[in-house]
Amino acid sequence: MAEIIQKDGTWVFDGDALRLTPGRDKNVSLFRKTLGELTVPLGALAGVSFEQGKKSGRLRLRLRDGADPLLHATGGRLTEPHDPYQLIVESDRYGVAEYLVDEVRGALLLDQVPADPVDAYLLPGPSVPLSVSAGDGTASFDGEHIRLEWNWKTEDAKAAAGARSLTLADIAAVEWQPAVGLENGHLRFTVRNAPTKAPAKYDHNSVELWGFKKDPLMALVAAAVQARLPHPATATATATDVAQTRPQLPSQAAATEDDHDALLRRLRELGELHRTGVLTDEEFTLAKQAVLKRM
């Protein structure tokens, strides 16, 4: 077992997983303290490194793409104080940090853990229920339902619409974006069949964030929801399967149908597919034109 204890936190590696516990020092961010202890299985790791400095060093973990719903929901935008996969190491503990790195790397080699992306989350995400107030509203999630409530700072038209209640089935995607410079951030829920490009200030499915202390806590809500949505790899595979099973347009077909009767049958098939909704209006029009040209 390898263990390093610092003011910034404690990392313990037992050969199968890394347990990351945030420190209680006043410099440890509110986000990391609220997130609490993380257990990262060896199979979720893509690598580990240690960077030395004159006064302090830094341990960094690199996770496999798709392993952590928190990293997916935040898009890697958690800044350094809030990143749970970094640990500040004091200069007198450099040797311990290097030993931990060697132990983790050795285990990765021994278990032949690949560094390529995964198709299922290997970390569970933040525990629920949870509720966070920041920016122009409060976001609550109980594992099945999301509730957005507004405060006195909310834009009038948005507040007048009242609180929002969404289920997981309503959500196509979730994103947390921090405020950067003059640009405000947001916690945004993309609702199925209702995409919008409206700024978070006016979007009833978004909480606008202004860069205050509690803003990063909204990333916990994003990660908890993301952990319960279909994994991105699954969604991509499903889209590919649907594309492969859709009826081929005549221009895509490998075989040609020069026979006049065959083309007439094809027109009837296309009409039936359009009538039942398999083909969109645009797809049907293009397909019909292609067949008529060949006739």
Coordinates of all heavy atoms in Angstrom, one line a residue, residues 207-273:
V207 N -29.4 27.6 -15.2 CA -29.1 28.5 -14.1 C -27.9 29.3 -14.6 O -26.9 28.7 -15.0 CB -28.7 27.7 -12.8 CG1 -28.3 28.7 -11.7 CG2 -29.9 26.9 -12.4
E208 N -28.0 30.6 -14.5 CA -26.9 31.5 -14.9 C -25.9 31.6 -13.7 O -26.4 31.8 -12.6 CB -27.4 32.8 -15.3 CG -26.3 33.7 -15.9 CD -26.8 35.1 -16.3 OE1 -27.8 35.6 -15.7 OE2 -26.2 35.7 -17.3
L209 N -24.6 31.6 -14.0 CA -23.6 31.7 -13.0 C -22.7 32.9 -13.2 O -22.3 33.2 -14.4 CB -22.8 30.4 -12.9 CG -23.6 29.1 -12.7 CD1 -22.6 27.9 -12.9 CD2 -24.3 29.1 -11.4
W210 N -22.3 33.6 -12.1 CA -21.6 34.8 -12.3 C -20.2 34.8 -11.8 O -19.5 35.8 -11.7 CB -22.4 35.9 -11.6 CG -23.7 36.1 -12.2 CD1 -24.1 36.2 -13.5 CD2 -25.0 36.2 -11.4 NE1 -25.4 36.3 -13.6 CE2 -26.0 36.3 -12.4 CE3 -25.3 36.2 -10.1 CZ2 -27.3 36.4 -12.0 CZ3 -26.6 36.3 -9.7 CH2 -27.6 36.4 -10.7
G211 N -19.7 33.6 -11.4 CA -18.3 33.5 -10.9 C -18.1 33.6 -9.5 O -17.0 34.0 -9.0
F212 N -19.1 33.4 -8.7 CA -19.0 33.5 -7.2 C -18.5 32.1 -6.6 O -18.4 31.1 -7.3 CB -20.3 33.9 -6.6 CG -20.7 35.3 -7.0 CD1 -22.0 35.6 -7.3 CD2 -19.7 36.3 -7.1 CE1 -22.3 36.9 -7.7 CE2 -20.1 37.6 -7.5 CZ -21.4 37.9 -7.8
K213 N -18.3 32.1 -5.3 CA -17.7 31.0 -4.6 C -18.5 29.7 -4.8 O -17.8 28.6 -5.0 CB -17.6 31.3 -3.1 CG -16.9 30.2 -2.3 CD -16.7 30.6 -0.9 CE -16.0 29.6 0.0 NZ -15.9 30.0 1.4
K214 N -19.8 29.7 -4.8 CA -20.6 28.5 -4.9 C -20.8 28.0 -6.3 O -21.4 26.9 -6.5 CB -21.9 28.7 -4.1 CG -21.7 28.8 -2.6 CD -23.1 28.8 -1.9 CE -23.0 28.8 -0.4 NZ -24.3 28.8 0.3
D215 N -20.4 28.7 -7.3 CA -20.7 28.3 -8.7 C -20.2 26.9 -9.0 O -20.9 26.1 -9.6 CB -20.0 29.3 -9.7 CG -20.8 30.6 -9.8 OD1 -21.7 30.8 -9.0 OD2 -20.5 31.4 -10.7
P216 N -18.9 26.5 -8.6 CA -18.5 25.2 -8.9 C -19.4 24.1 -8.3 O -19.4 23.0 -8.9 CB -17.1 25.1 -8.3 CG -16.6 26.6 -8.2 CD -17.9 27.3 -7.9
L217 N -20.1 24.4 -7.3 CA -21.0 23.3 -6.7 C -22.1 22.9 -7.7 O -22.6 21.8 -7.6 CB -21.6 23.8 -5.4 CG -20.6 24.2 -4.2 CD1 -21.4 24.6 -3.0 CD2 -19.8 23.0 -3.9
M218 N -22.4 23.7 -8.6 CA -23.4 23.4 -9.6 C -22.9 22.2 -10.5 O -23.7 21.5 -11.1 CB -23.8 24.6 -10.5 CG -24.7 25.6 -9.9 SD -26.4 24.8 -9.6 CE -27.2 26.3 -8.9
A219 N -21.5 22.1 -10.5 CA -21.0 21.0 -11.3 C -21.3 19.6 -10.6 O -21.4 18.6 -11.3 CB -19.4 21.1 -11.4
L220 N -21.6 19.6 -9.3 CA -22.0 18.4 -8.7 C -23.4 17.9 -9.2 O -23.6 16.7 -9.4 CB -22.1 18.6 -7.2 CG -20.7 19.0 -6.5 CD1 -21.0 19.3 -5.0 CD2 -19.7 17.9 -6.6
V221 N -24.3 18.9 -9.4 CA -25.6 18.6 -9.9 C -25.4 18.0 -11.3 O -26.1 17.0 -11.7 CB -26.5 19.8 -9.9 CG1 -27.9 19.5 -10.5 CG2 -26.7 20.4 -8.5
A222 N -24.6 18.7 -12.1 CA -24.4 18.3 -13.5 C -23.9 16.8 -13.5 O -24.3 16.0 -14.3 CB -23.4 19.2 -14.2
A223 N -22.9 16.5 -12.7 CA -22.3 15.2 -12.7 C -23.3 14.1 -12.2 O -23.3 13.0 -12.7 CB -21.0 15.2 -11.8
A224 N -24.1 14.5 -11.2 CA -25.0 13.5 -10.6 C -26.1 13.1 -11.7 O -26.5 12.0 -11.8 CB -25.7 14.1 -9.4
V225 N -26.5 14.1 -12.5 CA -27.4 13.9 -13.6 C -26.8 13.1 -14.7 O -27.3 12.1 -15.2 CB -28.0 15.2 -14.1 CG1 -28.9 14.9 -15.4 CG2 -28.9 15.9 -13.0
Q226 N -25.5 13.5 -15.0 CA -24.8 12.8 -16.1 C -24.6 11.4 -15.8 O -24.7 10.5 -16.7 CB -23.4 13.5 -16.3 CG -22.6 13.0 -17.5 CD -23.3 13.2 -18.8 OE1 -23.6 14.3 -19.2 NE2 -23.6 12.2 -19.6
A227 N -24.3 11.0 -14.6 CA -24.1 9.6 -14.2 C -25.3 8.8 -14.4 O -25.2 7.5 -14.6 CB -23.7 9.6 -12.7
R228 N -26.5 9.4 -14.5 CA -27.7 8.6 -14.7 C -28.3 8.7 -16.1 O -29.3 8.1 -16.4 CB -28.8 9.1 -13.7 CG -28.3 8.6 -12.2 CD -29.0 9.5 -11.2 NE -28.7 9.0 -9.8 CZ -27.6 9.3 -9.2 NH1 -26.7 10.1 -9.8 NH2 -27.3 8.8 -8.0
L229 N -27.6 9.4 -17.0 CA -28.0 9.5 -18.4 C -27.2 8.4 -19.1 O -26.2 7.8 -18.6 CB -27.6 10.8 -19.0 CG -28.3 12.1 -18.5 CD1 -27.8 13.3 -19.1 CD2 -29.8 11.9 -18.7
P230 N -27.7 8.0 -20.3 CA -27.0 7.0 -21.1 C -25.5 7.5 -21.3 O -25.3 8.6 -21.6 CB -27.7 7.0 -22.4 CG -29.1 7.4 -22.1 CD -29.0 8.4 -21.0
H231 N -24.6 6.5 -21.3 CA -23.2 6.9 -21.5 C -23.0 7.4 -22.9 O -23.6 6.9 -23.8 CB -22.3 5.6 -21.3 CG -20.9 5.9 -21.2 ND1 -20.1 6.0 -22.3 CD2 -20.0 6.2 -20.2 CE1 -18.8 6.3 -22.0 NE2 -18.8 6.4 -20.7
P232 N -22.1 8.4 -23.1 CA -21.9 9.0 -24.5 C -21.6 7.9 -25.5 O -22.0 8.0 -26.6 CB -20.8 9.9 -24.3 CG -20.9 10.3 -22.8 CD -21.4 9.1 -22.1
A233 N -20.8 6.9 -25.1 CA -20.4 5.9 -26.1 C -21.6 5.1 -26.5 O -21.7 4.7 -27.7 CB -19.4 5.0 -25.5
T234 N -22.5 4.8 -25.6 CA -23.8 4.1 -25.9 C -24.6 4.9 -26.8 O -25.2 4.3 -27.8 CB -24.5 3.8 -24.6 OG1 -23.7 3.0 -23.7 CG2 -25.8 2.9 -24.9
A235 N -24.8 6.2 -26.5 CA -25.6 7.0 -27.4 C -25.0 7.1 -28.8 O -25.8 7.0 -29.8 CB -25.6 8.5 -26.8
T236 N -23.7 7.2 -28.9 CA -23.0 7.2 -30.3 C -23.3 5.9 -31.0 O -23.6 5.9 -32.2 CB -21.5 7.4 -30.1 OG1 -21.3 8.7 -29.4 CG2 -20.9 7.5 -31.5
A237 N -23.2 4.8 -30.3 CA -23.4 3.5 -30.9 C -24.8 3.3 -31.4 O -25.1 2.8 -32.4 CB -23.0 2.3 -29.9
T238 N -25.7 3.8 -30.6 CA -27.2 3.7 -30.9 C -27.4 4.5 -32.2 O -28.1 4.1 -33.1 CB -28.0 4.2 -29.8 OG1 -27.8 3.4 -28.6 CG2 -29.5 4.1 -30.1
A239 N -26.9 5.7 -32.3 CA -27.1 6.6 -33.4 C -26.5 5.9 -34.7 O -27.1 5.9 -35.8 CB -26.4 7.9 -33.2
T240 N -25.3 5.2 -34.5 CA -24.7 4.5 -35.7 C -25.6 3.4 -36.1 O -25.8 3.1 -37.3 CB -23.3 4.0 -35.3 OG1 -22.5 5.1 -34.9 CG2 -22.7 3.3 -36.4
D241 N -26.1 2.6 -35.1 CA -27.0 1.5 -35.5 C -28.2 1.9 -36.2 O -28.7 1.3 -37.2 CB -27.4 0.7 -34.2 CG -26.2 0.0 -33.5 OD1 -25.2 -0.2 -34.2 OD2 -26.3 -0.3 -32.4
V242 N -28.8 3.1 -35.8 CA -30.0 3.6 -36.4 C -29.7 4.0 -37.9 O -30.5 3.7 -38.8 CB -30.6 4.8 -35.6 CG1 -31.7 5.5 -36.5 CG2 -31.1 4.4 -34.3
A243 N -28.5 4.6 -38.0 CA -28.2 5.1 -39.4 C -28.0 3.9 -40.3 O -28.3 3.9 -41.5 CB -26.9 5.9 -39.3
Q244 N -27.4 2.8 -39.7 CA -27.1 1.6 -40.6 C -28.4 0.8 -40.9 O -28.5 0.2 -41.9 CB -26.2 0.7 -39.8 CG -24.8 1.2 -39.7 CD -23.9 0.3 -38.9 OE1 -24.3 -0.5 -38.1 NE2 -22.6 0.6 -39.0
T245 N -29.4 1.0 -40.1 CA -30.7 0.2 -40.3 C -31.7 1.0 -41.1 O -32.7 0.5 -41.5 CB -31.3 -0.2 -39.0 OG1 -31.5 0.9 -38.1 CG2 -30.4 -1.2 -38.2
R246 N -31.5 2.3 -41.3 CA -32.4 3.1 -42.1 C -32.4 2.6 -43.5 O -31.4 2.2 -44.0 CB -32.0 4.6 -42.1 CG -32.2 5.3 -40.7 CD -32.0 6.7 -40.8 NE -33.0 7.4 -41.6 CZ -34.2 7.8 -41.1 NH1 -34.4 7.6 -39.9 NH2 -35.0 8.4 -41.9
P247 N -33.6 2.6 -44.2 CA -33.6 2.2 -45.6 C -32.7 3.0 -46.4 O -32.6 4.2 -46.3 CB -35.1 2.4 -46.0 CG -35.6 3.4 -45.0 CD -34.9 3.2 -43.7
Q248 N -31.9 2.4 -47.3 CA -31.0 3.0 -48.2 C -31.7 3.8 -49.3 O -32.7 3.2 -49.9 CB -30.0 2.0 -48.8 CG -29.0 1.5 -47.8 CD -28.0 0.6 -48.5 OE1 -28.3 -0.2 -49.4 NE2 -26.7 0.8 -48.1
L249 N -31.3 5.0 -49.6 CA -31.8 5.7 -50.7 C -31.3 5.1 -52.0 O -30.2 4.5 -52.0 CB -31.4 7.2 -50.6 CG -31.9 7.9 -49.4 CD1 -31.4 9.3 -49.5 CD2 -33.4 7.8 -49.2
P250 N -32.0 5.2 -53.1 CA -31.5 4.5 -54.3 C -30.1 4.9 -54.7 O -29.3 4.1 -55.2 CB -32.5 5.1 -55.3 CG -33.8 5.3 -54.6 CD -33.3 5.8 -53.2
S251 N -29.7 6.2 -54.4 CA -28.3 6.6 -54.7 C -27.3 5.9 -53.9 O -26.1 5.8 -54.2 CB -28.2 8.1 -54.6 OG -28.4 8.4 -53.2
Q252 N -27.7 5.3 -52.7 CA -26.8 4.6 -51.9 C -26.8 3.1 -52.1 O -25.9 2.4 -51.6 CB -27.2 4.9 -50.4 CG -27.1 6.3 -50.0 CD -27.7 6.6 -48.6 OE1 -28.7 6.0 -48.3 NE2 -27.0 7.4 -47.9
A253 N -27.7 2.6 -52.8 CA -27.9 1.1 -52.9 C -26.7 0.6 -53.8 O -26.3 1.2 -54.8 CB -29.2 0.8 -53.6
A254 N -26.3 -0.6 -53.4 CA -25.1 -1.2 -54.1 C -25.6 -1.8 -55.5 O -24.9 -1.7 -56.5 CB -24.5 -2.3 -53.3
A255 N -26.8 -2.3 -55.4 CA -27.3 -2.9 -56.6 C -28.2 -2.0 -57.4 O -28.9 -1.1 -56.8 CB -28.1 -4.2 -56.3
T256 N -28.3 -2.0 -58.7 CA -29.1 -1.2 -59.5 C -30.4 -1.9 -59.9 O -30.4 -3.1 -60.0 CB -28.4 -0.7 -60.7 OG1 -28.0 -1.9 -61.5 CG2 -27.1 0.1 -60.4
E257 N -31.5 -1.1 -60.0 CA -32.7 -1.7 -60.4 C -33.1 -1.1 -61.8 O -33.8 -0.1 -61.8 CB -33.8 -1.4 -59.4 CG -33.5 -2.1 -58.0 CD -34.5 -1.7 -57.0 OE1 -35.3 -0.8 -57.2 OE2 -34.5 -2.4 -55.9
D258 N -32.7 -1.7 -62.8 CA -33.0 -1.2 -64.2 C -34.3 -1.6 -64.7 O -34.9 -1.0 -65.6 CB -31.9 -1.7 -65.1 CG -30.5 -1.1 -64.8 OD1 -30.5 0.1 -64.3 OD2 -29.5 -1.8 -65.0
D259 N -34.9 -2.6 -64.1 CA -36.2 -3.1 -64.5 C -37.3 -2.1 -64.2 O -37.3 -1.6 -63.0 CB -36.4 -4.5 -63.9 CG -37.8 -5.0 -64.4 OD1 -37.8 -5.6 -65.5 OD2 -38.7 -4.9 -63.6
H260 N -38.1 -1.8 -65.1 CA -39.2 -0.8 -64.9 C -40.1 -1.2 -63.7 O -40.5 -0.4 -62.9 CB -40.0 -0.6 -66.2 CG -41.0 0.5 -66.1 ND1 -42.3 0.4 -65.7 CD2 -40.8 1.9 -66.4 CE1 -42.9 1.5 -65.7 NE2 -42.0 2.5 -66.1
D261 N -40.5 -2.5 -63.7 CA -41.4 -2.9 -62.6 C -40.7 -2.8 -61.3 O -41.4 -2.5 -60.3 CB -41.8 -4.4 -62.9 CG -42.7 -4.5 -64.1 OD1 -43.3 -3.5 -64.5 OD2 -42.8 -5.6 -64.7
A262 N -39.4 -3.1 -61.2 CA -38.7 -3.0 -59.9 C -38.7 -1.6 -59.4 O -38.8 -1.3 -58.2 CB -37.3 -3.5 -60.1
L263 N -38.5 -0.6 -60.4 CA -38.5 0.8 -60.0 C -39.9 1.2 -59.5 O -40.0 2.0 -58.5 CB -38.1 1.7 -61.2 CG -36.7 1.5 -61.6 CD1 -36.4 2.3 -62.9 CD2 -35.7 2.0 -60.5
L264 N -41.0 0.7 -60.1 CA -42.3 1.0 -59.6 C -42.5 0.4 -58.2 O -43.1 1.1 -57.4 CB -43.4 0.4 -60.6 CG -43.5 1.1 -62.0 CD1 -44.5 0.4 -62.8 CD2 -43.9 2.6 -61.8
R265 N -42.0 -0.8 -58.0 CA -42.2 -1.4 -56.7 C -41.4 -0.5 -55.7 O -41.8 -0.3 -54.5 CB -41.6 -2.8 -56.7 CG -42.5 -3.8 -57.3 CD -42.1 -5.2 -57.0 NE -40.7 -5.5 -57.3 CZ -40.4 -6.0 -58.5 NH1 -41.3 -6.2 -59.5 NH2 -39.1 -6.3 -58.8
R266 N -40.2 0.0 -56.1 CA -39.4 0.8 -55.2 C -40.2 2.1 -54.8 O -40.1 2.6 -53.7 CB -38.1 1.2 -55.9 CG -37.1 2.0 -55.0 CD -36.8 1.2 -53.7 NE -35.8 1.9 -52.9 CZ -35.7 1.7 -51.6 NH1 -36.5 0.9 -51.0 NH2 -34.8 2.3 -51.0
L267 N -40.9 2.7 -55.8 CA -41.7 3.9 -55.5 C -42.8 3.6 -54.5 O -43.0 4.4 -53.6 CB -42.3 4.4 -56.8 CG -41.4 5.3 -57.7 CD1 -42.1 5.6 -59.0 CD2 -40.9 6.5 -57.0
R268 N -43.4 2.4 -54.6 CA -44.5 2.1 -53.7 C -43.9 1.9 -52.3 O -44.5 2.3 -51.3 CB -45.2 0.8 -54.1 CG -46.1 1.1 -55.3 CD -47.1 -0.1 -55.5 NE -46.3 -1.3 -56.0 CZ -46.1 -1.6 -57.2 NH1 -46.6 -0.8 -58.2 NH2 -45.5 -2.7 -57.6
E269 N -42.7 1.3 -52.2 CA -42.0 1.0 -50.9 C -41.7 2.4 -50.3 O -41.8 2.5 -49.1 CB -40.7 0.2 -51.1 CG -41.0 -1.2 -51.5 CD -39.7 -1.9 -51.9 OE1 -38.6 -1.3 -51.9 OE2 -39.8 -3.1 -52.3
L270 N -41.1 3.3 -51.1 CA -40.8 4.6 -50.5 C -42.0 5.3 -50.0 O -42.0 6.0 -48.9 CB -40.1 5.4 -51.6 CG -38.7 5.0 -52.0 CD1 -38.2 5.8 -53.2 CD2 -37.7 5.1 -50.8
G271 N -43.1 5.2 -50.8 CA -44.4 5.8 -50.3 C -44.8 5.3 -49.0 O -45.3 6.0 -48.1
E272 N -44.7 4.0 -48.8 CA -45.1 3.3 -47.5 C -44.2 3.7 -46.4 O -44.7 4.0 -45.3 CB -45.1 1.8 -47.7 CG -45.5 1.0 -46.5 CD -46.9 1.3 -46.0 OE1 -47.7 1.8 -46.9 OE2 -47.2 1.0 -44.9
L273 N -42.9 3.8 -46.7 CA -41.9 4.2 -45.6 C -42.2 5.7 -45.2 O -42.1 6.0 -44.0 CB -40.5 4.1 -46.1 CG -40.0 2.6 -46.3 CD1 -38.7 2.6 -47.0 CD2 -39.9 1.9 -45.0

